Amino acid sequence: IRKAVQNLVRYELPDEANVAIVTFNSEARVESQLVTLTSDSAKSRVADTIPDSVNKLGQTAQGCVSCAVQVAVDQVLSGKESGGHLIVITSGDKRSMSLSRMENIKTMIDTFGIRMSSVMLTNDSSIQPLYDLVSQKSGGKTFVLNKYLPTMSVYAHLIEDLRNIIAMDNNES
């Protein structure tokens, strides 16, 4: 995941794109504040903030997508929410998105005019409809990748899904 997101930041995002990095499991933390990608060195600085450990925030595998969205709204987009596009990469674990958490996210999306897209790396897509609801309501997209595919296949599909997500923003510019 780290390498695919670094690829996105370094090579796929257009110059002058604004990007921040928020990581999450049962908590969420800003790794990089909102930065305008004005040069290759700015892209590299942001890409290098992506942690190499999935458990940097603790030893839990439980994800709290609504925690990440709340941190993004409060600490990154504060005052600049409208037009923001949150891209969530998650394990798609059933604990990561409940109906009540989805309602909280939908409220934030409605209130602040935020788009949310998701990529789920999972072998159980049973909660995909919750992610689809949020994505469709906000004008985003949802992709599901089987986490048990060969590593290079997951990497290639993840890069392609991220390209498809950012293409929505590029097409509107």
Side-chain angles (χ1 to χ4, degrees), residues 110-125:
D110 287 344
T111 302
F112 298 112
I114 298 169
R115 177 183 289 168
M116 184 173 130
S117 295
S118 302
V119 179
M120 298 169 52
L121 293 157
T122 185
N123 64 329
D124 175 10
S125 59

Side-chain angles (χ1 to χ4, degrees), residues 34 69-86 108-115:
L34 200 59
V69 172
Q70 187 70 55
V71 165
V73 168
D74 292 346
Q75 297 180 28
V76 175
L77 296 175
S78 183
K80 303 174 230 127
E81 296 93 348
S82 185
H85 190 168
L86 304 178
M108 284 186 272
I109 285 168
D110 287 344
T111 302
F112 298 112
I114 298 169
R115 177 183 289 168

